[in-house]
Amino acid sequence: MTVMQKIQNDAVVAAIHPLDPLTLEEIGAACDLVKANGKVTPRCRFPIVRLEEPSKAELRSHATGTPLPRLAFVVALESETGAATEFIVDLTASRIVDTKLLPNADAPYGQPPVMIAEFMLCEQIVKADEGWRNAMRRRGMSDRDMEMAQVDPFSSGFFDRDFERGRRILRAVTFFREDIKDNAYAHPVEGVVAVVDLVHQKVVDLLDDDKVIPIPKKKRNYGAYENTNPRTDIKPLNIEQPEGPSFKVDGWKVDWQKWSFRVGFTPREGLVLHQLAYQDGEHKRSIIHRASVTEMVVPYADPTANHYWKSAFDAGEYGLGMLANALELGCDCLGNIHYFNIPAADEQGQPFEMKNAVCMHEEDYGILWKHYEFRNGLFEVRRSRRLVISFFATVGNYDYGFYWYLYQDGTIQLEAKLTGIIQTAAVMPGEKYAWGGMVDDNLGGPTHQHFFNVRMHMDLDGGGNTVTEHEFAQRPWGTDNPYGNAFDLKSKTLSRERDAAAIADGQSGRYWKVTNPNSKNSVGNPVGYKLIVTPSPVMLAQEGSFVRKRGGFATKHVWVTPYDPAEKYASGDYPNVHAGGDGLPHYIEQNRNIENTDIVLWHSFGHTHVCKPEDFPVMPVEYAGFMLKPNGFFAANPANDIAPERNRRSVLSANGAGAAAASSCCGKS
């Protein structure tokens, strides 16, 4: 009996859907098959283990009864040589069906993501290095101080230096601490940067600036135990659903308020939404086949030694999914919560479960629609409710929450929540920080940008989809505009990839629609959804800079490509220590047709952050995101059928003449 046959004997596993994440048993089986195939050594590590997802066509076949094999995608990294190999493992047949050795020693290079154990190894290597210890002594640190110091490993970036090309490296900066619980970011050690080769386990380059800037020593701790005067006037806020939540969960499948979808999760992207559809009368209408955040980049605007190279690609270089938090009721999530535990692989290829990694709950969201008709006294109002599916990842000093919202009127929203602790820079006494904002005495915060890219494999009513671009324009005075009040909406159909790469424009109100020209709405137009974006700054690094080459996806707000299973990530497959030129700018060089075909809509959005005192010691949440709203998709307001709330107090007007006197806050006929 094969490993997979044993798995299939389990009644629970036998009901696996082709898009369900790998189970713990499948993860263990996949890694065991890789270990046993003779192409890896016992010292290999497993930075990536995930489901190799079936295509749309394969899923359609499965829906008609065709069985599909369960495939796993596994990356094995040899810790002693740095060699990395991709494997496709057929779990149904218990065999490896494809193998690819990564050309990470050749330009443009690229490495699998950094693993947690490598963070710890990096700190050990740095602290044992005599050059680093001498640099610390020059800054007044004792041997005890060095042991207590916090060494932050950072993805290195790439600047075409000998010790970067084809090497598995990290850069590391240092922070002073007196106590293990101190907020080390209040005490940066400026002018010392170590470059660590993780394969050869040594420091291969050390910057020790001749100019010694004193380490800021003022404590800025934030733990609850440090707060000696907490607020005492916050009253309890209880959220109760005595009849339970309105959603239904069947394994990884969710139904809620006419919405249906499947939850997925990968080590790189974290939360994935599959087969997002809306029940419109008797028809379940597909909208998005797959949606996820595939990449981030955080470039810094300080050109000095400690900061110019900082440009973390938090998904591709670390893995948002691998760094997901275990969420806590009442803190991260409030209300009647459903948690998803995520099966994962550790670096040795052993399966484990990430507890409470994804949270799902309902929220009241104010008014959904309302009207008071004073002529006949008809008063109708409905409250909005939304479904929240979320996870949080901590990547070094920053914490990122990713919240997908589904609304009863067919709206889809993604909101990124940015919090945590800013990167800091020591400043000479009496001077101002030139590359950002001062946040405390002798302490600056470098200006930087956060970019996210969401990939949406569209499936509007199935079949071919098209993207159109729209913007408003004034109409000149004339016989057709005698009062000067008329203005126009200019529209164009995007036919080729290069036509579609674009930047939002707040002045013209530029927006985009995804349509299906093969499916017409109630007024004879193609059904559509509107992409609503914020016209925030795109990447501000100069053309020709290494970070711009590596993070080219952040130079445009919108990209459209035809679906290609090899084009999964906005920055390319392996951005870690990559020379650049991969990802979306590379994909669209082919200038393929994107009209009435199977398309992927990519949206880059973010936040440009000039640091201020209010951002320290912990930054209040900043928000970034976008919406997809139905635009000619439905025949009418799809939320018209929501019933009034019950058991609400009467709404009575204090004004007698012409006032509404409703028997409830939601409806009076």
Side-chain angles (χ1 to χ4, degrees):
M1 181 178 289
T2 67
V3 173
M4 193 60 192
Q5 285 170 333
K6 288 181 180 179
I7 293 172
Q8 289 172 333
N9 284 340
D10 187 316
V12 175
V13 179
I16 288 174
H17 184 275
L19 290 173
D20 287 352
L22 297 175
T23 66
L24 293 172
E25 293 85 357
E26 288 176 319
I27 289 169
C31 293
D32 286 346
L33 285 166
V34 169
K35 292 174 186 176
N37 84 327
K39 294 185 178 180
V40 299
T41 72
R43 294 296 303 275
C44 80
R45 297 294 179 260
F46 293 87
I48 303 173
V49 181
R50 61 162 174 80
L51 176 72
E52 181 71 359
E53 297 168 11
S55 67
K56 279 184 183 179
E58 290 169 328
L59 288 167
R60 284 193 293 268
S61 296
H62 176 266
T64 62
T66 303
L68 296 179
R70 289 283 283 176
L71 302 180
F73 176 87
V74 179
V75 173
L77 174 71
E78 293 292 349
S79 59
E80 292 185 342
T81 66
T85 307
E86 294 177 347
F87 296 89
I88 301 294
V89 181
D90 185 334
L91 291 162
T92 307
S94 292
R95 65 189 182 94
I96 293 171
V97 295
D98 194 24
T99 302
K100 176 185 175 183
L101 182 66
L102 296 184
N104 52 357
D106 303 319
Y109 317 110
Q111 293 281 336
V114 183
M115 296 174 284
I116 297 295
E118 291 176 314
F119 283 111
M120 310 307 174
L121 175 63
C122 179
E123 180 167 357
Q124 294 170 14
I125 294 168
V126 169
K127 288 189 173 181
D129 182 76
E130 195 56 35
W132 177 84
R133 298 184 74 83
N134 287 335
M136 295 302 108
R137 292 185 186 106
R138 289 184 60 227
R139 287 156 179 81
M141 289 176 63
S142 66
D143 287 349
R144 181 196 178 278
D145 293 337
M146 289 183 233
E147 292 310 307
M148 188 60 65
Q150 176 177 306
V151 175
D152 268 20
F154 233 98
S155 53
S156 73
F158 185 89
F159 298 89
D160 204 22
R161 293 167 182 153
D162 288 340
F163 57 76
E164 295 170 338
R165 301 185 196 112
R167 307 283 284 275
R168 189 166 180 81
I169 60 171
L170 290 170
R171 281 180 163 86
V173 292
T174 306
F175 299 86
F176 173 84
R177 293 183 302 193
E178 285 184 344
D179 184 86
I180 192 70
K181 290 186 177 180
D182 279 350
N183 175 14
Y185 298 102
H187 318 294
V189 178
E190 207 69 22
V192 181
V193 181
V195 180
V196 176
D197 186 316
L198 294 167
V199 174
H200 296 96
Q201 299 191 11
K202 64 180 182 179
V203 173
V204 294
D205 188 70
L206 180 73
L207 172 95
D208 179 7
D209 201 324
D210 292 337
K211 180 181 179 181
V212 174
I213 298 177
I215 300 171
K217 293 294 179 69
K218 181 179 178 181
K219 291 205 173 192
R220 294 298 307 273
N221 295 338
Y222 55 87
Y225 66 94
E226 301 272 359
N227 187 357
T228 59
N229 189 28
R231 300 186 190 191
T232 58
D233 58 348
I234 303 176
K235 305 301 182 184
L237 177 61
N238 298 320
I239 297 178
E240 298 178 351
Q241 290 181 283
E243 298 179 20
S246 302
F247 53 75
K248 295 179 181 178
V249 181
D250 180 11
W252 299 95
K253 185 177 185 298
V254 178
D255 290 279
W256 176 83
Q257 289 292 291
K258 300 188 178 183
W259 285 104
S260 64
F261 60 94
R262 305 193 73 89
V263 173
F265 202 90
T266 75
R268 177 168 179 161
E269 303 154 292
L271 178 61
V272 179
L273 299 185
H274 295 285
Q275 297 183 325
L276 196 59
Y278 192 96
Q279 189 71 36
D280 186 13
E282 297 180 356
H283 303 287
K284 178 181 283 190
R285 303 178 66 188
S286 59
I287 298 171
I288 301 177
H289 178 67
R290 189 185 193 277
S292 69
V293 174
T294 74
E295 194 52 275
M296 289 181 54
V297 64
V298 187
Y300 282 75
D302 183 337
T304 62
N306 269 51
H307 308 283
Y308 75 89
W309 46 269
K310 291 178 180 175
S311 55
F313 289 71
D314 291 333
E317 292 181 333
Y318 304 116
L320 294 172
M322 287 305 298
L323 299 175
N325 296 173
L327 304 175
E328 294 188 22
L329 181 63
C331 297
D332 296 289
C333 306
L334 194 62
N336 196 321
I337 306 300
H338 180 89
Y339 291 109
F340 291 91
N341 298 329
I342 303 300
D346 68 16
E347 292 154 16
Q348 283 73 40
Q350 296 300 313
F352 73 98
E353 194 167 60
M354 303 171 70
K355 296 288 187 182
N356 297 358
V358 173
C359 165
M360 184 171 69
H361 66 285
E362 296 175 282
E363 288 182 345
D364 179 271
Y365 199 63
I367 301 301
L368 175 60
W369 59 264
K370 175 178 179 173
H371 185 61
Y372 166 54
E373 181 52 67
F374 71 91
R375 296 170 183 83
N376 59 22
L378 183 65
F379 181 92
E380 297 287 344
V381 59
R382 303 293 185 271
R383 292 196 66 79
S384 177
R385 191 178 295 190
R386 66 184 184 183
L387 185 68
V388 185
I389 316 101
S390 66
F391 84 107
F392 244 98
T394 298
V395 189
N397 54 298
Y398 265 112
D399 300 75
Y400 298 102
F402 298 93
Y403 285 65
W404 286 96
Y405 302 124
L406 302 179
Y407 294 83
Q408 293 160 305
D409 66 352
T411 297
I412 303 165
Q413 181 182 7
L414 174 63
E415 182 177 72
K417 301 186 180 187
L418 296 71
T419 182
I421 305 177
I422 60 171
Q423 282 285 310
T424 51
V427 180
M428 287 292 285
E431 295 184 5
K432 293 289 186 181
Y433 183 48
W435 307 107
M438 295 294 293
V439 298
D440 207 334
D441 300 336
N442 308 322
L443 192 67
T447 296
H448 56 283
Q449 295 185 282
H450 299 260
F451 293 108
F452 308 86
N453 183 274
V454 64
R455 176 185 182 274
M456 294 174 284
H457 186 181
M458 301 305 298
D459 197 34
L460 224 62
D461 271 355
N465 284 182
T466 296
V467 176
T468 54
E469 182 182 292
H470 311 264
E471 56 189 358
F472 299 99
Q474 290 178 311
R475 175 172 291 197
W477 290 91
T479 56
D480 58 350
N481 189 20
Y483 306 106
N485 63 308
F487 58 91
D488 298 313
L489 177 65
K490 296 184 176 180
S491 304
K492 65 179 180 180
T493 298
L494 305 176
S495 299
R496 315 290 289 188
E497 290 176 282
R498 293 181 191 172
D499 300 334
I503 294 175
D505 183 354
Q507 184 173 352
S508 69
R510 183 176 298 150
Y511 68 89
W512 292 262
K513 281 179 64 175
V514 181
T515 67
N516 185 335
N518 312 293
S519 177
K520 298 300 174 65
N521 61 20
S522 58
V523 293
N525 295 323
V527 298
Y529 256 75
K530 177 181 177 180
L531 175 66
I532 301 173
V533 309
T534 301
S536 55
V538 292
M539 184 176 282
L540 296 172
Q542 283 286 352
E543 189 74 42
S545 63
F546 279 102
V547 68
R548 194 176 178 94
K549 292 177 185 177
R550 300 176 68 236
F553 70 87
T555 62
K556 306 287 184 183
H557 289 115
V558 172
W559 310 75
V560 184
T561 61
Y563 170 71
D564 183 331
E567 297 174 356
K568 292 180 172 68
Y569 310 112
S571 61
D573 290 344
Y574 299 102
N576 188 21
V577 207
H578 193 284
D582 203 354
L584 281 166
H586 175 62
Y587 300 160
I588 71 165
E589 286 176 357
Q590 303 166 78
N591 205 26
R592 295 162 292 187
N593 173 60
I594 54 172
E595 188 175 356
N596 195 11
T597 190
D598 190 10
I599 62 167
V600 178
L601 174 63
W602 312 71
H603 173 39
S604 298
F605 62 94
H607 172 63
T608 299
H609 189 179
V610 180
C611 297
K612 55 192 181 298
E614 292 88 344
D615 292 327
F616 207 68
V618 179
M619 186 178 91
V621 168
E622 292 280 356
Y623 301 90
F626 70 95
M627 279 188 171
L628 276 171
K629 292 187 73 70
N631 193 292
F633 190 75
F634 298 105
N637 177 358
N640 262 6
D641 60 355
I642 293 175
E645 293 281 341
R646 302 301 179 191
N647 302 320
R648 298 290 190 178
R649 65 181 179 86
S650 296
V651 177
L652 300 174
S653 173
N655 187 342
S663 61
S664 78
C665 74
C666 293
K668 179 187 178 183
S669 300

